[in-house]
Amino acid sequence: DSGVTQTPKHLITATGQRVTLRCSPRSGDLSVYWYQQSLDQGLQFLIQYYNGEERAKGNILERFSAQQFPDLHSELNLSSLELGDSALYFCASSARGDTETQYFGPGTRLLVL
Amino acid sequence: GQNIDQPTEMTATEGAIVQINCTYQTSGFNGLFWYQQHAGEAPTFLSYNVLDGLEEKGRFSSFLSRSKGYSYLLLKELQMKDSASYLCAVTSFYNQGGKLIFGQGTELSVKP
């Protein structure tokens, strides 16, 4: 158990819908990262927050957005969902948001039908 | 840009030793991580190398050569539970923050 929690574990929805994925970092960690893992793409970095502020952005679609709240939990919002958005979404956390070990949560498996 | 290559699949026998290679091309290299991921589960941290040489941690060791853009993960005394995907990831000091760029992963099957 890494100490990072994610909800829900599974999500099934339809195309065009919007969903919110939630992540709570390890106690004491200030930085949260979101990654997407699909079969053909491997693990892809989406976005990073540090202490409530966006720090780095990857190839995150405009339909996707995220935020980190004052209590340091983070939410990833996915809208206008497409079939290709079906994937495992992982959240990871680290202490300082720098080059250091990231600890991954159990992931949310999203299936868009 | 950043590019990471790993073999897609490997097979080894229980009790044996296996070496999983990773080659990378990245500007401003600032460290290489190895993670283990069982199917459908979270990646778990195995090792971190930023200087050349070998880091040993129990049955697992990781080696780095920055001049060659090369790393390997060595697994000794293989056990069935070592069957998993092994992910190589690099960071760059040109990237703000500590984002990891992952390779596609090497699927290791350990046979009895």
Side-chain angles (χ1 to χ4, degrees):
Chain A
D1 185 352
S2 67
V4 179
T5 60
Q6 288 186 248
T7 56
K9 285 190 175 175
H10 302 278
L11 205 45
I12 302 175
T13 188
T15 54
Q17 296 298 305
R18 172 190 167 95
V19 296
T20 297
L21 282 53
R22 183 188 168 104
C23 167
S24 292
R26 293 188 319 156
S27 176
D29 284 358
L30 296 179
S31 192
V32 167
Y33 306 77
W34 287 97
Y35 292 88
Q36 179 192 54
Q37 187 174 40
S38 54
L39 283 174
D40 58 343
Q41 290 286 331
L43 207 54
Q44 301 282 318
F45 169 75
L46 294 177
I47 198 163
Q48 177 196 5
Y49 282 82
Y50 174 77
N51 205 21
E53 300 290 326
E54 181 184 305
R55 175 166 276 192
K57 218 168 185 176
N59 295 326
I60 187 168
L61 299 172
E62 284 192 13
R63 302 184 284 109
F64 295 3
S65 65
Q67 54 185 322
Q68 186 179 29
F69 294 86
D71 68 351
L72 301 177
H73 92 271
S74 178
E75 292 181 356
L76 179 67
N77 300 295
L78 314 177
S79 61
S80 303
L81 284 167
E82 301 175 359
L83 296 177
D85 298 327
S86 296
L88 261 172
Y89 290 84
F90 287 105
C91 166
S93 75
S94 70
R96 302 181 312 274
D98 216 325
T99 298
E100 56 191 350
T101 301
Q102 294 177 26
Y103 296 90
F104 283 76
T108 293
R109 185 177 291 280
L110 174 67
L111 181 59
V112 182
L113 299 175
Chain B
Q2 290 158 325
N3 189 45
I4 302 170
D5 285 313
Q6 307 178 232
T8 305
E9 297 176 327
M10 297 184 73
T11 303
T13 305
E14 192 177 15
I17 299 173
V18 72
Q19 178 175 309
I20 302 174
N21 296 325
C22 171
T23 57
Y24 63 88
Q25 293 172 318
T26 186
S27 304
F29 174 80
N30 198 28
L32 186 143
F33 291 81
W34 284 97
Y35 280 81
Q36 179 192 60
Q37 186 180 25
H38 287 97
E41 298 183 9
T44 55
F45 169 74
L46 292 176
S47 69
Y48 170 65
N49 296 71
V50 66
L51 300 176
D52 289 352
L54 188 68
E55 295 276 344
E56 296 188 76
K57 195 187 289 187
R59 294 189 300 115
F60 291 22
S61 304
S62 58
F63 171 83
L64 177 68
S65 168
R66 289 173 298 171
S67 62
K68 294 182 179 174
Y70 167 69
S71 173
Y72 66 72
L73 181 70
L74 194 70
L75 291 73
K76 302 175 189 173
E77 300 168 17
L78 280 171
Q79 302 175 9
M80 299 298 289
K81 68 178 182 180
D82 297 329
S83 292
S85 185
Y86 290 86
L87 309 175
C88 170
V90 298
T91 65
S92 165
F93 57 72
Y94 289 138
N95 295 333
Q96 196 174 12
K99 74 175 187 181
L100 296 175
I101 304 300
F102 283 88
Q104 289 287 94
T106 298
E107 192 69 37
L108 174 66
S109 296
V110 180
K111 308 285 188 192

